[in-house]
Structure formats: structure tokens, C-alpha cells
Amino acid sequence: EADAATFVTPQVHEHAAPRDRLVTAIRAGVRGGGLAVLRPEAGATGLGTTSAMVEFARRWREDYDIAWWVPAADPPLVADRLAELAETLGLAAPTDAAEEATDRLLAVLRRRGRWLLVLDDAASHRQLARFLPEGHGHVLVASDDPSWDGHATPVVVGRFDRDESIAVLRSRSPGLSAAEADRMASA
């Protein structure tokens, strides 16, 4: 097993809102059962679920030796992405079959702690269940698929509140006064 920290997250706009309450709820969710699913508020899209997961991973980075981001909309590709982590940790060679490398990785994760797997835009729980290691690490899932109910601690991602809207506006336009940002947020 590699001793070096492995931390991979996607590129997200550098001025993402901190979403303090949401990030705190995510932390409580993973600490409560190891697996939390972020679900957008009913009927809403574009709420910053991915940004919130990136902020969670950034903010709690010290708690993890390994953090790995997995685009999970296409279940057959999840094994390939996990095989990349196995290679990064020295558990598999590039010539190993993805399924073999993934099985080796999941066995190691079951025995250790201080890891975070993020499954972004996840398909159904049934399609991804085999990729969910048990053990002392955390799995964070973003999915609007109801099949995750009962398998993970739910965390609802809602719309920005007024303060979050103002923070985003001011981070993207540093010259914007608080009053101007407030007027824009109300519009």
C-alpha cells in the first residue's frame, strides 16, 4: 500500500460558494454511517452539488489519506476509474484487468480507514453497490436516483440562501459592494 496521500478531485470554478451548512450536513452524514447521498431539492437542478462535494473534500482533507473522485453516471466505467486508484496506490499494474484491480482495491479499503470515495452523478444503488467498500472510510454519492434511499444517509441540496448568493457574487466580482450584491441577489 502506498503511504503517500492520494487526493484527486475535479476542477471546479475557484470561486465556488462555501455552503457552510450543507458541508456540515455532509460531514454529519458520512460520520453517521460512512455513506451519504446528496440529493437535489425536489424538482431543482444546478444547485451546486458537485461544488459542495469538492468543498467538503477540500475542507476535511486532513481527515483522509486517500480521496478519489469517480464520475459514476456510467456504471461500466466505474471499475476503470477505481482501477486507476488501485494503480496509483501500487495495488495494480496498468496491464491488470479493471475488475481484478478494483477487487484488490476494495479489499484494501475494507481493512483501512481515512479514505473518501466520491461517486458523482451516480446511477442506481443496485448498479453501483459492488463498488461500495465497507470499512472505516467514507463514501459520498451525488444522485437523484431514489434507489439510494435506505442505503445511505440523505443530504438534501437546496437553493443558495441569501448570504450564499451574496458570497458567490462578491467572490466573482470583488469590486461589488455588499449592498450591490444584495440587490443583485434579491433580483
Side-chain angles (χ1 to χ4, degrees), residues 3 10 30 42 46 70 81 83-84 86 97 106 112 115 118-119 132 138 144 153 168-169 172 180 186:
D3 290 329
V30 295
V70 179
R81 191 67 177 109
E84 291 173 12
L106 295 175
R112 68 179 290 172
W115 52 263
V118 179
L119 303 176
L132 302 174
H138 295 150
D144 58 4
T153 302
V168 168
L169 289 166
R172 293 191 177 171
E180 291 167 325
S186 69

PDB file of all heavy atoms in Angstrom, residues 3 10 30 42 46 70 81 83-84 86 97 106 112 115 118-119 132 138 144 153 168-169 172 180 186:
ATOM      1  N   ASP A   3       2.049   4.896   1.027  1.00  0.00           N
ATOM      2  CA  ASP A   3       1.925   5.717   2.230  1.00  0.00           C
ATOM      3  C   ASP A   3       1.570   7.157   1.897  1.00  0.00           C
ATOM      4  O   ASP A   3       1.049   7.877   2.724  1.00  0.00           O
ATOM      5  CB  ASP A   3       3.234   5.703   3.028  1.00  0.00           C
ATOM      6  CG  ASP A   3       3.472   4.340   3.656  1.00  0.00           C
ATOM      7  OD1 ASP A   3       2.486   3.667   3.995  1.00  0.00           O
ATOM      8  OD2 ASP A   3       4.641   3.968   3.795  1.00  0.00           O
ATOM      9  N   PRO A  10     -12.139  16.900  -9.145  1.00  0.00           N
ATOM     10  CA  PRO A  10     -12.245  17.573 -10.438  1.00  0.00           C
ATOM     11  C   PRO A  10     -11.973  19.066 -10.313  1.00  0.00           C
ATOM     12  O   PRO A  10     -11.999  19.616  -9.215  1.00  0.00           O
ATOM     13  CB  PRO A  10     -13.701  17.331 -10.836  1.00  0.00           C
ATOM     14  CG  PRO A  10     -14.409  17.251  -9.536  1.00  0.00           C
ATOM     15  CD  PRO A  10     -13.431  16.574  -8.593  1.00  0.00           C
ATOM     16  N   VAL A  30     -21.683  11.452   6.515  1.00  0.00           N
ATOM     17  CA  VAL A  30     -20.667  10.402   6.351  1.00  0.00           C
ATOM     18  C   VAL A  30     -20.195   9.881   7.702  1.00  0.00           C
ATOM     19  O   VAL A  30     -19.889   8.703   7.846  1.00  0.00           O
ATOM     20  CB  VAL A  30     -19.463  10.827   5.482  1.00  0.00           C
ATOM     21  CG1 VAL A  30     -19.897  11.083   4.046  1.00  0.00           C
ATOM     22  CG2 VAL A  30     -18.714  12.004   6.051  1.00  0.00           C
ATOM     23  N   ALA A  42     -36.279  18.694  -4.476  1.00  0.00           N
ATOM     24  CA  ALA A  42     -37.254  18.217  -5.458  1.00  0.00           C
ATOM     25  C   ALA A  42     -37.451  19.203  -6.601  1.00  0.00           C
ATOM     26  O   ALA A  42     -37.732  20.372  -6.372  1.00  0.00           O
ATOM     27  CB  ALA A  42     -38.588  17.933  -4.778  1.00  0.00           C
ATOM     28  N   GLY A  46     -28.948  22.209 -10.988  1.00  0.00           N
ATOM     29  CA  GLY A  46     -27.929  23.256 -10.959  1.00  0.00           C
ATOM     30  C   GLY A  46     -27.749  23.888  -9.587  1.00  0.00           C
ATOM     31  O   GLY A  46     -27.493  25.084  -9.484  1.00  0.00           O
ATOM     32  N   VAL A  70     -14.934   9.764  -8.556  1.00  0.00           N
ATOM     33  CA  VAL A  70     -15.366   8.805  -9.569  1.00  0.00           C
ATOM     34  C   VAL A  70     -16.603   9.338 -10.281  1.00  0.00           C
ATOM     35  O   VAL A  70     -17.666   9.436  -9.673  1.00  0.00           O
ATOM     36  CB  VAL A  70     -15.702   7.435  -8.927  1.00  0.00           C
ATOM     37  CG1 VAL A  70     -16.171   6.447  -9.989  1.00  0.00           C
ATOM     38  CG2 VAL A  70     -14.520   6.895  -8.144  1.00  0.00           C
ATOM     39  N   ARG A  81     -12.257   3.540 -13.347  1.00  0.00           N
ATOM     40  CA  ARG A  81     -11.816   4.669 -12.515  1.00  0.00           C
ATOM     41  C   ARG A  81     -11.237   4.172 -11.188  1.00  0.00           C
ATOM     42  O   ARG A  81     -10.247   4.708 -10.704  1.00  0.00           O
ATOM     43  CB  ARG A  81     -12.990   5.625 -12.282  1.00  0.00           C
ATOM     44  CG  ARG A  81     -12.604   6.931 -11.676  1.00  0.00           C
ATOM     45  CD  ARG A  81     -11.751   7.765 -12.639  1.00  0.00           C
ATOM     46  NE  ARG A  81     -11.471   9.025 -12.017  1.00  0.00           N
ATOM     47  CZ  ARG A  81     -10.280   9.383 -11.555  1.00  0.00           C
ATOM     48  NH1 ARG A  81      -9.255   8.602 -11.681  1.00  0.00           N
ATOM     49  NH2 ARG A  81     -10.125  10.551 -10.976  1.00  0.00           N
ATOM     50  N   ALA A  83      -9.891   1.222 -10.806  1.00  0.00           N
ATOM     51  CA  ALA A  83      -8.631   0.558 -11.174  1.00  0.00           C
ATOM     52  C   ALA A  83      -7.498   1.584 -11.259  1.00  0.00           C
ATOM     53  O   ALA A  83      -6.349   1.285 -10.902  1.00  0.00           O
ATOM     54  CB  ALA A  83      -8.792  -0.179 -12.500  1.00  0.00           C
ATOM     55  N   GLU A  84      -7.813   2.795 -11.699  1.00  0.00           N
ATOM     56  CA  GLU A  84      -6.801   3.865 -11.727  1.00  0.00           C
ATOM     57  C   GLU A  84      -6.313   4.169 -10.311  1.00  0.00           C
ATOM     58  O   GLU A  84      -5.124   4.408 -10.096  1.00  0.00           O
ATOM     59  CB  GLU A  84      -7.368   5.130 -12.370  1.00  0.00           C
ATOM     60  CG  GLU A  84      -7.632   5.008 -13.848  1.00  0.00           C
ATOM     61  CD  GLU A  84      -8.358   6.234 -14.402  1.00  0.00           C
ATOM     62  OE1 GLU A  84      -8.463   7.269 -13.700  1.00  0.00           O
ATOM     63  OE2 GLU A  84      -8.845   6.148 -15.544  1.00  0.00           O
ATOM     64  N   ALA A  86      -6.320   2.011  -7.832  1.00  0.00           N
ATOM     65  CA  ALA A  86      -5.502   0.853  -7.458  1.00  0.00           C
ATOM     66  C   ALA A  86      -4.086   0.991  -8.018  1.00  0.00           C
ATOM     67  O   ALA A  86      -3.100   0.728  -7.324  1.00  0.00           O
ATOM     68  CB  ALA A  86      -6.153  -0.440  -7.953  1.00  0.00           C
ATOM     69  N   ALA A  97      -6.525  -6.413 -15.352  1.00  0.00           N
ATOM     70  CA  ALA A  97      -7.932  -6.187 -15.710  1.00  0.00           C
ATOM     71  C   ALA A  97      -8.560  -5.249 -14.681  1.00  0.00           C
ATOM     72  O   ALA A  97      -8.241  -5.320 -13.487  1.00  0.00           O
ATOM     73  CB  ALA A  97      -8.681  -7.510 -15.750  1.00  0.00           C
ATOM     74  N   LEU A 106     -10.742  -2.629  -3.338  1.00  0.00           N
ATOM     75  CA  LEU A 106     -11.834  -2.688  -2.367  1.00  0.00           C
ATOM     76  C   LEU A 106     -11.445  -3.523  -1.152  1.00  0.00           C
ATOM     77  O   LEU A 106     -11.803  -3.182  -0.021  1.00  0.00           O
ATOM     78  CB  LEU A 106     -13.104  -3.212  -3.027  1.00  0.00           C
ATOM     79  CG  LEU A 106     -13.687  -2.310  -4.129  1.00  0.00           C
ATOM     80  CD1 LEU A 106     -14.880  -2.987  -4.795  1.00  0.00           C
ATOM     81  CD2 LEU A 106     -14.051  -0.939  -3.603  1.00  0.00           C
ATOM     82  N   ARG A 112      -8.621  -0.681   5.919  1.00  0.00           N
ATOM     83  CA  ARG A 112      -8.008   0.552   6.407  1.00  0.00           C
ATOM     84  C   ARG A 112      -9.039   1.654   6.540  1.00  0.00           C
ATOM     85  O   ARG A 112     -10.159   1.528   6.083  1.00  0.00           O
ATOM     86  CB  ARG A 112      -6.847   0.978   5.517  1.00  0.00           C
ATOM     87  CG  ARG A 112      -7.258   1.432   4.126  1.00  0.00           C
ATOM     88  CD  ARG A 112      -6.096   1.859   3.280  1.00  0.00           C
ATOM     89  NE  ARG A 112      -5.517   3.099   3.762  1.00  0.00           N
ATOM     90  CZ  ARG A 112      -4.398   3.612   3.305  1.00  0.00           C
ATOM     91  NH1 ARG A 112      -3.729   3.007   2.371  1.00  0.00           N
ATOM     92  NH2 ARG A 112      -3.942   4.745   3.777  1.00  0.00           N
ATOM     93  N   TRP A 115     -10.137   7.131   4.228  1.00  0.00           N
ATOM     94  CA  TRP A 115     -10.298   7.254   2.789  1.00  0.00           C
ATOM     95  C   TRP A 115     -11.686   7.820   2.483  1.00  0.00           C
ATOM     96  O   TRP A 115     -12.618   7.663   3.255  1.00  0.00           O
ATOM     97  CB  TRP A 115     -10.075   5.935   2.058  1.00  0.00           C
ATOM     98  CG  TRP A 115     -10.855   4.763   2.574  1.00  0.00           C
ATOM     99  CD1 TRP A 115     -10.421   3.801   3.444  1.00  0.00           C
ATOM    100  CD2 TRP A 115     -12.217   4.417   2.259  1.00  0.00           C
ATOM    101  NE1 TRP A 115     -11.425   2.899   3.694  1.00  0.00           N
ATOM    102  CE2 TRP A 115     -12.529   3.244   2.979  1.00  0.00           C
ATOM    103  CE3 TRP A 115     -13.188   4.988   1.448  1.00  0.00           C
ATOM    104  CZ2 TRP A 115     -13.776   2.635   2.903  1.00  0.00           C
ATOM    105  CZ3 TRP A 115     -14.434   4.386   1.373  1.00  0.00           C
ATOM    106  CH2 TRP A 115     -14.713   3.220   2.093  1.00  0.00           C
ATOM    107  N   VAL A 118     -15.753   9.523  -3.736  1.00  0.00           N
ATOM    108  CA  VAL A 118     -16.851  10.389  -4.156  1.00  0.00           C
ATOM    109  C   VAL A 118     -17.382   9.857  -5.478  1.00  0.00           C
ATOM    110  O   VAL A 118     -16.637   9.772  -6.456  1.00  0.00           O
ATOM    111  CB  VAL A 118     -16.386  11.856  -4.314  1.00  0.00           C
ATOM    112  CG1 VAL A 118     -17.546  12.725  -4.778  1.00  0.00           C
ATOM    113  CG2 VAL A 118     -15.794  12.376  -3.023  1.00  0.00           C
ATOM    114  N   LEU A 119     -18.646   9.470  -5.487  1.00  0.00           N
ATOM    115  CA  LEU A 119     -19.311   8.995  -6.700  1.00  0.00           C
ATOM    116  C   LEU A 119     -20.234  10.104  -7.177  1.00  0.00           C
ATOM    117  O   LEU A 119     -21.295  10.331  -6.601  1.00  0.00           O
ATOM    118  CB  LEU A 119     -20.105   7.719  -6.416  1.00  0.00           C
ATOM    119  CG  LEU A 119     -19.311   6.546  -5.837  1.00  0.00           C
ATOM    120  CD1 LEU A 119     -20.242   5.383  -5.519  1.00  0.00           C
ATOM    121  CD2 LEU A 119     -18.218   6.116  -6.784  1.00  0.00           C
ATOM    122  N   LEU A 132     -18.980  -0.266  -3.483  1.00  0.00           N
ATOM    123  CA  LEU A 132     -19.046   0.452  -2.207  1.00  0.00           C
ATOM    124  C   LEU A 132     -18.309  -0.347  -1.136  1.00  0.00           C
ATOM    125  O   LEU A 132     -18.862  -1.293  -0.588  1.00  0.00           O
ATOM    126  CB  LEU A 132     -20.503   0.675  -1.796  1.00  0.00           C
ATOM    127  CG  LEU A 132     -21.365   1.435  -2.794  1.00  0.00           C
ATOM    128  CD1 LEU A 132     -22.810   1.457  -2.329  1.00  0.00           C
ATOM    129  CD2 LEU A 132     -20.833   2.837  -3.004  1.00  0.00           C
ATOM    130  N   HIS A 138     -15.171   6.661   4.099  1.00  0.00           N
ATOM    131  CA  HIS A 138     -16.418   7.356   3.773  1.00  0.00           C
ATOM    132  C   HIS A 138     -16.682   7.309   2.277  1.00  0.00           C
ATOM    133  O   HIS A 138     -15.750   7.398   1.473  1.00  0.00           O
ATOM    134  CB  HIS A 138     -16.350   8.815   4.223  1.00  0.00           C
ATOM    135  CG  HIS A 138     -16.253   8.960   5.710  1.00  0.00           C
ATOM    136  ND1 HIS A 138     -15.608  10.013   6.299  1.00  0.00           N
ATOM    137  CD2 HIS A 138     -16.717   8.195   6.724  1.00  0.00           C
ATOM    138  CE1 HIS A 138     -15.673   9.882   7.613  1.00  0.00           C
ATOM    139  NE2 HIS A 138     -16.346   8.790   7.890  1.00  0.00           N
ATOM    140  N   ASP A 144     -29.733  11.641  -7.975  1.00  0.00           N
ATOM    141  CA  ASP A 144     -31.153  11.934  -7.791  1.00  0.00           C
ATOM    142  C   ASP A 144     -31.973  10.649  -7.934  1.00  0.00           C
ATOM    143  O   ASP A 144     -33.193  10.683  -7.955  1.00  0.00           O
ATOM    144  CB  ASP A 144     -31.633  13.020  -8.744  1.00  0.00           C
ATOM    145  CG  ASP A 144     -31.404  12.673 -10.205  1.00  0.00           C
ATOM    146  OD1 ASP A 144     -30.938  11.552 -10.501  1.00  0.00           O
ATOM    147  OD2 ASP A 144     -31.696  13.525 -11.058  1.00  0.00           O
ATOM    148  N   THR A 153     -27.150   7.835   4.171  1.00  0.00           N
ATOM    149  CA  THR A 153     -27.719   8.973   4.881  1.00  0.00           C
ATOM    150  C   THR A 153     -28.033  10.059   3.845  1.00  0.00           C
ATOM    151  O   THR A 153     -27.132  10.499   3.126  1.00  0.00           O
ATOM    152  CB  THR A 153     -26.722   9.517   5.917  1.00  0.00           C
ATOM    153  OG1 THR A 153     -26.374   8.469   6.818  1.00  0.00           O
ATOM    154  CG2 THR A 153     -27.306  10.696   6.669  1.00  0.00           C
ATOM    155  N   VAL A 168     -21.184  34.381  -3.364  1.00  0.00           N
ATOM    156  CA  VAL A 168     -20.793  33.978  -4.720  1.00  0.00           C
ATOM    157  C   VAL A 168     -20.625  35.211  -5.607  1.00  0.00           C
ATOM    158  O   VAL A 168     -19.631  35.351  -6.330  1.00  0.00           O
ATOM    159  CB  VAL A 168     -21.825  33.016  -5.344  1.00  0.00           C
ATOM    160  CG1 VAL A 168     -21.574  32.837  -6.831  1.00  0.00           C
ATOM    161  CG2 VAL A 168     -21.772  31.673  -4.652  1.00  0.00           C
ATOM    162  N   LEU A 169     -21.582  36.115  -5.568  1.00  0.00           N
ATOM    163  CA  LEU A 169     -21.500  37.320  -6.391  1.00  0.00           C
ATOM    164  C   LEU A 169     -20.242  38.129  -6.080  1.00  0.00           C
ATOM    165  O   LEU A 169     -19.527  38.558  -6.983  1.00  0.00           O
ATOM    166  CB  LEU A 169     -22.752  38.185  -6.190  1.00  0.00           C
ATOM    167  CG  LEU A 169     -24.032  37.626  -6.789  1.00  0.00           C
ATOM    168  CD1 LEU A 169     -25.246  38.380  -6.251  1.00  0.00           C
ATOM    169  CD2 LEU A 169     -23.977  37.672  -8.304  1.00  0.00           C
ATOM    170  N   ARG A 172     -16.957  36.490  -7.272  1.00  0.00           N
ATOM    171  CA  ARG A 172     -16.747  36.574  -8.722  1.00  0.00           C
ATOM    172  C   ARG A 172     -16.540  38.000  -9.201  1.00  0.00           C
ATOM    173  O   ARG A 172     -16.004  38.217 -10.282  1.00  0.00           O
ATOM    174  CB  ARG A 172     -17.918  35.928  -9.445  1.00  0.00           C
ATOM    175  CG  ARG A 172     -17.940  34.441  -9.183  1.00  0.00           C
ATOM    176  CD  ARG A 172     -18.878  33.719 -10.042  1.00  0.00           C
ATOM    177  NE  ARG A 172     -18.766  32.289  -9.761  1.00  0.00           N
ATOM    178  CZ  ARG A 172     -19.570  31.394 -10.233  1.00  0.00           C
ATOM    179  NH1 ARG A 172     -20.557  31.746 -11.024  1.00  0.00           N
ATOM    180  NH2 ARG A 172     -19.408  30.131  -9.933  1.00  0.00           N
ATOM    181  N   GLU A 180     -24.663  46.283  -3.334  1.00  0.00           N
ATOM    182  CA  GLU A 180     -24.916  45.939  -4.733  1.00  0.00           C
ATOM    183  C   GLU A 180     -25.165  44.429  -4.892  1.00  0.00           C
ATOM    184  O   GLU A 180     -26.078  44.015  -5.603  1.00  0.00           O
ATOM    185  CB  GLU A 180     -23.709  46.349  -5.609  1.00  0.00           C
ATOM    186  CG  GLU A 180     -23.544  47.856  -5.728  1.00  0.00           C
ATOM    187  CD  GLU A 180     -22.192  48.216  -6.327  1.00  0.00           C
ATOM    188  OE1 GLU A 180     -21.188  47.507  -6.062  1.00  0.00           O
ATOM    189  OE2 GLU A 180     -22.143  49.230  -7.062  1.00  0.00           O
ATOM    190  N   SER A 186     -31.280  39.679  -4.606  1.00  0.00           N
ATOM    191  CA  SER A 186     -32.750  39.750  -4.487  1.00  0.00           C
ATOM    192  C   SER A 186     -33.416  39.647  -5.858  1.00  0.00           C
ATOM    193  O   SER A 186     -34.532  39.149  -5.964  1.00  0.00           O
ATOM    194  CB  SER A 186     -33.188  41.014  -3.772  1.00  0.00           C
ATOM    195  OG  SER A 186     -32.939  42.146  -4.572  1.00  0.00           O
TER     196      SER A 186
END
